[in-house]
Amino acid sequence: MRATVRGRVQGVGFRYGVLSEAKRIGVAGFVENRPDGAVYVEAEGSPGQLDRLEAFLREGPPAARVEAFDSERSAASGGFEGFSWH
């Protein structure tokens, strides 16, 4: 899954929240802040795991305000070990 989240998503613990949630549900990939103020996520896991991560991304942590969410899914590359933030 590749996802971009926009709104008040930087400086509010969003990346840390994604990292924690991804590790909790067992997906691999990464999360990073983008220069335009968005947060970008690439994640691999089962459809159910990705559904749970997507649900978190649509809400974010309490201090965040998600205004736009875009995602796409494709076949996993298997190129990730664990989940990290950049």
Side-chain angles (χ1 to χ4, degrees):
M1 174 178 70
R2 291 181 178 93
T4 302
V5 186
R6 291 182 174 78
R8 189 174 69 203
V9 294
Q10 289 190 13
V12 294
F14 202 96
R15 284 184 308 155
Y16 180 76
V18 173
L19 178 72
S20 296
E21 184 68 8
K23 287 183 174 187
R24 186 182 72 74
I25 61 178
V27 299
F30 69 90
V31 58
E32 68 183 10
N33 285 342
R34 289 286 170 96
D36 66 358
V39 169
Y40 177 74
V41 177
E42 284 194 27
E44 294 182 352
S46 71
Q49 289 171 310
L50 296 178
D51 288 345
R52 289 192 296 276
L53 182 60
E54 187 174 304
F56 179 84
L57 295 173
R58 290 180 180 277
E59 296 294 321
R65 186 179 68 242
V66 175
E67 295 174 357
F69 175 80
D70 298 302
S71 73
E72 64 180 5
R73 293 189 188 187
S74 59
S77 69
F80 298 113
E81 285 190 31
F83 201 90
S84 64
W85 63 5
H86 301 161

